[in-house]
Amino acid sequence: MIIAHYLHRLPSDYDLEVIRRRAAARGPQWDAKPELHFKAFLLREGGRYGAAASSYSSLYLWRHDEAFTDFVTGDGFKVVTGSFGRPAIETRTVLDARKGAAREARFAYKEELDIPLDADLRTVANAEIERNREVAAQPGIVAATVGVDVLTWRLVRIRLSVHEPTAQSSGTAYQILYLAKPLLDTLEPA
């Protein structure tokens, strides 16, 4: 599995209703996408939930890297590049991905952590897998996944949740405008 995330920064005067309409119109097209566990259409609105500026982004959990490659090189991605240009896409190899008991996610949280240079990678991976299982079992979680970037040796923790951010929430919070989840139910349960 592979986690993919890209972000488009928006001008301060950008009409965010355009983004909301875009997500509402394009979201259902992803509801039956083969090899896709989920795609979240995300918004960070300047001045809300800790965002200094507005951005629009997409977060994917692909079943296979070939499906991700087919998307990026196919006609579907031309919609993105035609509207916003070619984004830098962060990709992570998945260590664990689980579905939670909740069904309708309102927020996505992304937390990134450096792996210490002297850390045993197997120990780190096992601890993150166990932690991810515990997160997925928490009330209000739709899905939780953890991945590793082997270029920068960083972990990324993603959780999709019904819960609005609070001062105690960890990670960067994104509003979910639309969540397509064609294969979400095929993930292992918490």
Side-chain angles (χ1 to χ4, degrees):
M1 276 185 275
I2 189 168
I3 300 166
H5 182 228
Y6 54 85
L7 181 136
H8 311 287
R9 297 193 193 292
L10 301 172
S12 60
D13 61 348
Y14 196 90
D15 181 1
L16 297 181
E17 285 308 310
V18 171
I19 296 299
R20 289 183 177 94
R21 286 192 301 271
R22 180 184 179 96
R26 297 190 189 282
Q29 299 171 16
W30 291 85
D31 287 338
K33 184 78 170 169
E35 304 303 320
L36 180 67
H37 289 287
F38 65 76
K39 176 184 179 175
F41 292 76
L42 305 175
L43 176 67
R44 297 248 316 141
E45 189 173 346
R48 296 195 69 198
Y49 307 118
S54 295
S55 64
Y56 171 58
S57 64
S58 294
L59 173 68
Y60 306 80
L61 180 61
W62 293 97
R63 182 184 270 182
H64 301 289
D65 60 348
E66 294 88 2
F68 168 69
T69 301
D70 288 346
F71 164 62
V72 173
T73 60
D75 290 338
F77 198 60
K78 289 180 182 175
V79 172
V80 174
T81 59
S83 296
F84 297 101
R86 200 179 285 173
I89 304 174
E90 299 173 359
T91 58
R92 307 293 190 266
T93 301
V94 173
L95 298 173
D96 189 62
R98 304 267 164 185
K99 66 179 175 179
R103 289 285 146 245
E104 297 301 320
R106 295 177 46 231
F107 294 91
Y109 298 88
K110 179 181 176 185
E111 184 178 6
E112 296 186 85
L113 301 118
D114 291 326
I115 300 172
L117 290 175
D118 59 349
D120 177 75
L121 296 175
R122 174 55 55 199
T123 301
V124 169
N126 288 341
E128 285 297 316
I129 291 167
E130 182 57 34
R131 182 196 170 282
N132 193 64
R133 290 177 181 161
E134 292 169 4
V135 169
Q138 294 173 358
I141 298 296
V142 173
T145 186
V146 61
V148 63
D149 178 343
V150 295
L151 177 64
T152 62
W153 293 106
R154 297 189 86 195
L155 296 166
V156 64
R157 298 170 175 168
I158 304 286
R159 64 189 186 281
L160 307 181
S161 175
V162 301
H163 299 298
E164 188 169 328
T166 66
Q168 291 75 37
S169 298
S170 60
T172 302
Y174 298 82
Q175 297 173 59
I176 297 177
L177 300 178
Y178 191 91
L179 179 63
K181 44 189 177 182
L183 298 178
L184 180 68
D185 285 336
T186 65
L187 292 175
E188 289 290 320

